[in-house]
Amino acid sequence: MTTIGFIYPDHAAEDDYPLAEQLLGGSEAAEGDIRLPVAHIYGTDLHAVPELLDLGSASRLADGAGLLAKHTPDAVVWACTSGSFVYGWDGARDQADRLATAAGVPASSTSFAFVHAAQALEVKRVAVAASYPDDVARLFVEFLAAGGVEVLSMSSADIDTAAEVGKLSPEAVVDLAVSHDHPDADALLVPDTAMRTLGEITDIEAKLGKPVLTANQVTIWEGLRLTGTTRMVRSLGALFRAGR
């Protein structure tokens, strides 16, 4: 059995993780049990730089690693995009390294998951459909650039809190994504783990005709990558259809 632990901030769209666990262990997946336990840490859910820096601090993530210890995870992922890219590339690397030390297993974050997923799909140019305020969304663009991913267009829905994002209807999620693509982009990125997206990826990809990378999707994939595990799950988008 492979166990991947996720540290998730507050509450919003964490039900994407038991859904993924079901899909990864169901009829679409290869043999072998996968468990995706989620531990919650609490701070603010405001999409603002000072609050995000506090949310992703070493002490908070160490607390999350402690909560996951009872599950004996093989890897741990900080399931928060803004709470990792807000530190910049080097700061986010240090954050992941500290988390790995605290957890005693390989660790990463959603921000690095986006870059690694883009590399896996050989995606170079992207559009970003962000729910964040503009100043926060621009930090994600800078992070992607540091990882060699060019952003052709970036939209910011200017939603202040994760709780508000978590209340978006499936139709609103699809509309936000589809309406903010760029015709020359190799893929569309939707970077907020507070947004429920796993059930909408197939619809969005069908409408756009290109890969779609969403925060909870790439976070789960990153955990699998850290453990050397691959799964082909057609309903989780191009990233999982190739069994990478």
Side-chain angles (χ1 to χ4, degrees), residues 11-244:
H11 296 274
E14 66 269 26
D15 46 354
D16 267 355
Y17 292 84
L19 172 60
E21 182 176 282
Q22 180 181 8
L23 292 171
L24 291 167
S27 60
E28 289 186 284
E31 293 182 1
D33 291 335
I34 292 177
R35 296 291 176 263
L36 308 178
V38 176
H40 295 271
I41 60 171
Y42 299 94
T44 180
D45 72 344
L46 189 64
H47 290 142
V49 171
E51 286 79 4
L52 291 169
L53 289 170
D54 175 69
L55 185 64
S57 66
S59 60
R60 289 192 186 275
L61 295 190
D63 288 343
L67 293 171
L68 286 170
K70 63 184 179 183
H71 299 286
T72 318
D74 300 295
V76 171
V77 186
W78 169 219
C80 184
T81 326
S82 55
S84 46
F85 69 66
V86 72
Y87 284 85
W89 186 270
D90 291 338
R93 172 51 55 204
D94 181 67
Q95 180 189 60
D97 289 344
R98 288 174 180 267
L99 176 55
T101 298
V105 295
S108 187
S109 67
T110 305
S111 293
F112 285 117
F114 271 109
V115 172
H116 296 153
Q119 292 170 345
L121 291 177
E122 299 183 348
V123 163
K124 300 294 185 184
R125 302 189 301 171
V126 304
V128 172
S131 54
Y132 315 122
D134 186 75
D135 62 326
V136 175
R138 291 189 181 281
L139 294 177
F140 183 53
V141 173
E142 293 175 8
F143 188 92
L144 292 173
V149 179
E150 179 185 0
V151 177
L152 299 182
S153 65
M154 185 275 291
S155 65
S156 52
D158 203 29
I159 301 176
D160 287 328
T161 68
E164 293 174 90
V165 174
K167 294 177 181 177
L168 292 174
S169 68
E171 294 78 14
V173 169
V174 172
D175 180 67
L176 183 148
V178 171
S179 62
H180 293 106
D181 184 34
H182 188 287
D184 296 327
D186 301 322
L188 175 72
L189 276 54
V190 185
D192 196 341
T193 58
M195 189 183 301
R196 292 177 179 84
T197 58
L198 294 195
E200 323 313 324
I201 293 172
T202 299
D203 188 14
I204 299 169
E205 287 192 339
K207 292 179 184 299
L208 296 181
K210 64 180 65 174
V212 173
L213 299 176
T214 75
N216 289 324
Q217 173 212 35
V218 301
T219 300
I220 292 158
W221 176 87
E222 180 78 345
L224 295 173
R225 187 190 69 82
L226 288 174
T227 62
T229 307
T230 59
R231 286 292 186 270
M232 185 173 70
V233 184
R234 287 181 287 276
S235 62
L236 290 179
L239 184 62
F240 278 85
R241 284 198 296 273
R244 291 178 172 83

